[in-house]
Amino acid sequence: MNSHGQTSFSSNRFLRGTAMVILAVTLASCGTQKKELTTGSIPSANFSKPVQSMNATELSAAAESIGKAYERNPKDRAAGLNYANMLRMTGRNEQALAVMQQVAINFPADREVLAAYGKSQAAAGQLEQALNTITRAQTPDRPDWKLKSAEGAILDQLGRAGEARQRYREALDIQPNEPTVLSNLGMSYLLNKDLKTAETYLKSAVSQSGADSSVRQNLALAVGLQGRFAEAEQIARQELSPDQAEANVKYLRSIMSQQNAWQKLAKDDKGTN
């Protein structure tokens, strides 16, 4: 998110920078990447505590542990996938991409591998390549809703909102009311400054039984950008440890404090309705 203390910016630039990072997070796995406003988990990996409750030091140690397992057997598919996921969670996107390149060489026809490879490409900023990889992973006779949603997130980052939303709706046709897809759809509208529509989809996402903390943090952002910060703070504190909740709230405050950006966005939003 755009939190570099810039003193002059348009609301559109602010919102686009904010939403791009959220979209990158949702793209990273529909729930496997941990950023400042999200939590996640690593499949097929056993730790002494949940990944979402780990601090930066613990995450780094877990990544090192998985990395050693991968180095012992670079052809271990699960180890490669888990290692790349953990590297993305700790912000080492280029290293994650290098790992996934090797895994993709060893498993060139594996849909899950291709999907993870595409997500690593997107996290490293290679959006066009990522779109091509994700598309190759999809099969018309057995469409995968996760891939549809990932493709939509890439299209949103490329500025192709109409196509992105079509992919999200196709994903929802396959997996109705899936909270991660509804969240992505909401963030697509947030990216284009339609905050009210974004909030509607995000509230729907939060109401689903499978919604995780990352979905609630996205809703908190959409609510906060409309100036309802007390409500946003209450949402942001749900289901998190006190330390995590305070970190998320602090981050929301840093966004809101930038020249009262949410006021500009709310004004712009009213002007477009």
Side-chain angles (χ1 to χ4, degrees), residues 47-265:
F47 300 118
S48 60
K49 62 190 301 186
V51 173
Q52 59 264 35
S53 65
M54 291 183 182
N55 58 33
T57 300
E58 291 168 331
L59 282 171
S60 294
E64 183 178 354
S65 175
I66 294 177
K68 289 179 179 178
Y70 173 70
E71 289 172 4
R72 286 194 297 270
N73 184 7
K75 292 188 178 181
D76 185 327
R77 173 184 175 279
L81 288 169
N82 287 338
Y83 188 35
N85 276 336
M86 188 61 98
L87 287 170
R88 286 201 303 271
M89 288 174 66
T90 54
R92 289 175 280 180
N93 292 328
E94 294 295 336
Q95 193 175 348
L97 177 57
V99 170
M100 281 312 308
Q101 284 174 333
Q102 187 59 49
V103 177
I105 290 172
N106 292 328
F107 301 92
D110 188 303
R111 291 178 72 188
E112 185 178 0
V113 167
L114 285 174
Y117 183 28
K119 292 166 188 176
S120 287
Q121 288 174 312
Q126 299 179 10
L127 297 178
E128 293 288 356
Q129 298 94 319
L131 186 61
N132 179 62
T133 301
I134 294 289
T135 302
R136 285 194 295 117
Q138 191 69 272
T139 56
D141 59 323
R142 289 191 303 116
D144 186 321
W145 67 266
K146 293 180 182 179
L147 293 179
K148 291 281 188 183
S149 187
E151 187 177 355
I154 296 170
L155 288 166
D156 258 326
Q157 292 181 84
L158 288 168
R160 295 156 62 179
E163 294 174 73
R165 292 168 195 170
Q166 179 61 33
R167 297 298 183 278
Y168 298 140
R169 293 188 171 98
E170 290 170 359
L172 289 170
D173 286 341
I174 301 169
Q175 188 78 4
N177 299 319
E178 167 55 40
T180 56
V181 181
L182 288 169
S183 180
N184 277 6
L185 184 55
M187 296 307 294
S188 179
Y189 282 99
L190 188 148
L191 178 63
N192 285 277
K193 296 197 297 184
D194 188 346
L195 303 180
K196 293 178 181 178
T197 302
E199 182 183 353
T200 297
Y201 280 112
L202 288 165
K203 280 185 173 178
S204 178
V206 165
S207 71
Q208 306 306 318
S209 61
D212 65 13
S213 179
S214 66
V215 177
R216 289 178 177 79
Q217 303 314 309
N218 288 350
L219 175 60
L221 177 63
V223 170
L225 287 171
Q226 294 178 74
R228 291 147 45 205
F229 189 77
E231 182 182 348
E233 183 172 345
Q234 184 178 19
I235 295 169
R237 290 186 180 278
Q238 292 180 20
E239 299 181 0
L240 295 176
S241 70
D243 288 345
Q244 289 175 313
E246 188 56 37
N248 282 3
V249 169
K250 182 179 179 181
Y251 197 68
L252 281 170
R253 285 173 179 160
S254 74
I255 294 171
M256 298 306 114
S257 68
Q258 295 185 62
Q259 293 189 354
N260 292 320
W262 53 264
Q263 291 183 341
K264 295 183 179 181
L265 290 167

